[in-house]
Amino acid sequence: MSLPNAFSVASCFALALLLWTLIGKLYEAYNSPLRDVQGPWLARFTRFWYARSAYSRQGHKISMDLHKKYGPIVRIAPNEYSIDDLDASKIIYRSRDPLVKAPRYAGWGLPNAEPSTFTTLDNAHHTARIRQVNSLYQTSALVNIEYQVDGATNAFMERLSAFAKDGKTVDMSDWLKYYAFDAVGSLSFGKPFGFLEKGTDIAGILETIHSYAFYGMVAGIYHEWHPTTYKIWQWLAPKGRGGGIAHIMQFAAHVMDDWNQRLESEKAKDEEQTEGGDLLRDNQTGSLLAKVRRDPDNFKTEDIFYHMSMNVLAGGETTAASTANIVYYLTKTPRVLCKLRGELEEALEKRDGASRRISVKEAHSIPYLQAVIKESLRILPNGLHLPRVVPKGGLTLAGQFFPEGTMVGVNPWVAHANRSVYGEDPNVFRPERWLEDESTEGENKMEQYFFTFGRGPRTCLGKNISLMEMNKLIPELVLRFDIEMANKDAEWTVYNDWFVKQEGFHVKISERQAPSMLL
Ligand code: HEM
């Protein structure tokens, strides 16, 4: 066969294959029991529509607009649906007989490595792994290591004082990242990474984590190709990317070596009675090292890496972006700032003055502070659609039957804009909404539909850590500093890489006459 002939045969074959695939897709789309569900036309046939929406980094806005147009159920891919319905959410994220996460999550995992607690699709694996560390993330345990955050808070306040003196314009989003990463570093390892000291992205940690979140969000949509696309992504990555994760691992390894040596030299095997005991209690890695010593057959040093790397990967960017929301909305809403300051000052006057810093326990007793934090987390959550797979037998959700294998989920952005739950002004930053509803927490619709940390058995493990950081930082920040946008009328720009990224939060800082108890 001559070359041109071979070429035409191959072209005909490719065309026939394409036509066959298209006919197959059309047949599937129009014979699907879900064919009447609305959504973008392209999403009926291909995942490409959803990948493009995620790639635009404005997926949150696109999803909110779609729900406004089509109602509580929207098709976002051929076999995937976004649902905005409180009752349906209780089924999708139920605790008994939980639905499994959609394969989408694999995009955030390393191919050929054990899936993390976040990415695993196997509920039994998830339960076994979470059981190893769950108690360390409870408020009762965190209260003992709360002081670890103080170092980061002090360093942050010192930096802000210096900026106030210099009159410099400051990128608040960047500095809150430095704060959040140093705080989570201290809680996890007993030492900050040193971001606040250096004032820069050390070893590209922040850049690596952010770009990996973006990669995982898009790659997960075509999860079957992830092992290949991951290699391409690594190959295309700017030289040195990946160094960030390696740096975190080296840092953790160094901390553990250091402690092991100190424990050996002090012959501090009895962790209850010796100085070494403090090492084994005063941060999460220490507690886990103690677990390795107690039960070396079932819990190993590698397990510490497994869990603590998640603290940094999942807990830094998310907490930083959420804290930036609080500061941004306070800057933009003087009425709320003024009321919050009043409540904080009143709380300070009532206390005995023993401790300079407001404790997390105290912060929780100030309802308006809690409402401000919650409202900021509501109006601008991290994440996008949180998909699960419909189990055998199918499920009826929001009045629609979904057959087994369909992917369904709630998007926190969409949920938090639901008017039947949050009232007629969901786009307004109004902390009072959390104080007006007198129903109990179990009955409170807003609480039940609050999705910032996810819901059900796969809820965020580090929720209490991030709330602790916010509760420690915000009172002091608000009482000690005035913060305003460098350009008064400027708005920031929000991107969604699954982690939220805010750009343009440039501020001027001035120091206030803080209440004497704080000084
Ligand atoms: C404001 C800050 C944070 C936000 C908004 C946030 C949000 C979330 C969301 C939405 C999920 C996933 C739920 C799902 O897939 O259905 C999640 C899971 C997770 N988060 Fe967070 N997170 C935050 C802070 C943290 C911190 C500080 C840590 C650790 C120190 C952490 C560790 C984790 C882990 C380990 C998971 C997986 C949990 C599981 O599947 O069992 N997060 N988080």
Side-chain angles (χ1 to χ4, degrees), residues 101 105 117 126 311 314-315 318 322 388 452-453 458 460 462 466:
K101 280 190 165 181
Y105 284 87
T117 44
H126 173 259
N311 277 12
T318 45
S322 302
R388 302 291 187 266
T452 295
F453 295 105
R458 303 301 292 266
C460 176
S466 54

Side-chain angles (χ1 to χ4, degrees), residues 102-115:
R104 159 88 35 93
Y105 284 87
W108 284 293
L110 298 179
N112 308 321
E114 180 188 351

Side-chain angles (χ1 to χ4, degrees), residues 56-61 321 325 328-329 379-381 413 491-497 499-504:
S56 73
R57 305 168 78 205
Q58 293 299 318
H60 54 299
K61 280 197 186 152
N325 286 345
Y328 180 76
Y329 281 102
I379 205 159
L380 224 152
W413 290 82
E491 306 272 332
W492 66 7
T493 311
V494 173
Y495 296 102
N496 196 322
D497 297 346
F499 288 156
V500 158
K501 186 172 190 176
Q502 304 108 335
E503 280 177 15

